[in-house]
Amino acid sequence: MSTLPTTPADTPVGTPADPAAAPANTPAASSASSSASSSAATARSALDGAFPGGLGAFVDGRIAVGGGETVPLTAAATGERFGGFPDPGREGADAVLASAVRGAAVWGATDPFERAAILREVSRTVAEHAEELAVLESATTGKPLRDTRGEAAKVAEMFGYYAGWADKVTGLTIPVPGNWHTYTERVPHGVVVAITPWNAPLFTAGWNAAAPLAAGNAVVVKPSEFTPVSTLRLAELAHRAGLPDGVFNVAVGLGGTVGAALTSDRRVGKVSFIGSVATGRRVAVAAAGAGIPTVLELGGKSANIVFADADLERAADGAVAAVFSGAGQSCVAGSRLLVERSVHAEFVALVAERAARLRLGDPLDPATEVGPILTAPQYATVNELIEAGIRDGGRRVTGAELPAALTGSALAGGHWVAPTLLDGVTPGNRLETTEVFGPVVGADAFDTEAEAVERANATDFGLAGAVWTGDVSRAHHVARSVRAGTFWINAYKTIHVAVPFGGFGDSGHGRSSGPGALDEYTQPKAVWVPTRGAGAPFPSLSYSG
């Protein structure tokens, strides 16, 4: 693959003629009536501006275009195809890994203070290009610009946070019996492969690259074949900021070719995966067969518990944000709404009223609050699960129709699902335990605290949850009782790179953030040094006397 055509890593995104690169106050980004700004033509323009030589793997600081079957890219807001790229196949994955092995040798030997300085420069560079990254992400994925702007800023923050840890990866001095000086040091795995999902490609690329890089590993990010563009640009910017060749590569391609090759190659020291339970299990099995450990961040079916003594207005705002932000395409979405019976009807009405006010529209319009489902297969799945929830007894409260502004515009062919609230989603309903991954919430009533906790835990997932109550003691008791890796009290969906994040059960294992993530991406090495000369190991080897 190294002989394929390449494009320079510092190619700028956008030109004055590129509407997708326009500032937020220009018509291309701000006019809700300009539905063409989310069309395939605009996405194509953004793509061509960023990668004039075509899309391919980012390897050794350059784009290398593959030669396999073409993988199409589709504009989620309109359903139109706007581009594609050749799948590089296993040969391409091999070239990326060979580069990463070389990069790991250089990066792992780099002074940690120098690594910290380079990562600080990556953070600064990403911050400088945050608007460019946000527009590129929105144009090519269909995520609302208001969301991608926040995510681009968070990626800069991730690299800045772990830059602060890069020169603080230390070991222990351990007292042991006898005349020994014994200590440990943390050593990197070498090459870390991060497989990231389509719902937040830019955010998860940063989330899964910054910590292993700080620990001294080379990273290969394999983004979803549906949404590879922003990850490639992030890698280019990181290389421009000073990361050596091979230290941050991107392996675009299909899961069955590139993904399968990356997760079963013994040159890989660790695999991190974000995605569905089924795919995560396949990745873990393939990696285990090659002796590769994994960090898995999988799905969730999180319960949002509301007691009668809660501030209901504030809780309703939180419930709407919990499931409808990002069009529900979030592993921590609060997709189960459990409400104390005495306020159940009132609270469902509050949520329904708020859901009806949410603005759907052109993703590049800063006023848009809810975007489309990012992929056609997921769009079909979401609609199928809504119908299943109704068949199982759920009553549709909102989401029956799309706004006329969508159905009467160029956006009509997109993957749009209106914010949907189903009430009466009882334990026998499919939506009680099945992750939808769309803007769909199922509500039901409970009578006692014990019942609420039991319902919250009646799932194989264990990723997140929340409780809304004015009783401090109850809040802490429920937080302790619900089996979830992240839990909020009178809030929902806030996460930060400094705080551990991960799940229990089918939601995965390992933690991908916080200081502990450095332990995920290093291994302890014990060193024994005798402080006095040792005696002969066998009597026959003694030469005294």
Side-chain angles (χ1 to χ4, degrees), residues 319 323-324 334-337 351 420-423 425 431 438-443:
V323 70
F324 297 138
S335 57
R336 289 190 293 158
L337 190 55
V351 173
T420 300
L421 168 62
L422 300 184
D423 195 15
V425 176
L431 293 189
V440 182
V441 60

Side-chain angles (χ1 to χ4, degrees), residues 347-372:
F347 191 77
V348 166
L350 289 173
V351 173
E353 185 273 332
R354 285 160 169 76
R357 298 206 319 252
L358 295 176
R359 294 188 288 265
L360 284 69
D362 175 8
L364 281 167
D365 180 353
T368 294
E369 297 169 323
V370 179

Side-chain angles (χ1 to χ4, degrees), residues 26 156 158 168-169 180 182 189 260 280 287 331 342 348 360-361 393 416 439 456 502:
T26 63
M158 293 168 196
K168 301 173 184 66
V169 180
W180 295 97
T182 307
H189 287 277
C331 54
S342 62
V348 166
L360 284 69
W416 297 97

Side-chain angles (χ1 to χ4, degrees), residues 300-303 323 333-338 378 381-398 420-444 455 458-459 461:
K301 192 65 183 176
S302 302
V323 70
S335 57
R336 289 190 293 158
L337 190 55
L338 304 177
Q378 185 61 24
T381 296
V382 171
N383 283 292
E384 175 189 341
L385 288 172
I386 291 172
E387 295 305 314
I390 294 171
R391 288 195 302 270
D392 289 348
R395 176 179 64 87
R396 189 196 292 265
V397 181
T398 67
T420 300
L421 168 62
L422 300 184
D423 195 15
V425 176
T426 60
N429 194 302
R430 185 175 174 186
L431 293 189
E432 177 79 353
T433 56
T434 304
E435 184 179 33
V436 178
F437 219 69
V440 182
V441 60
D444 200 19
R455 286 279 298 273
T459 170
F461 294 108

Side-chain angles (χ1 to χ4, degrees), residues 1 4 57 59 66 87-98 251-252 258 261-262:
M1 190 173 69
L4 294 172
V59 54
D87 178 49
R90 289 180 174 269
E91 180 183 353
D94 178 73
V96 170
L97 282 178
V252 300
V258 174
L262 293 175

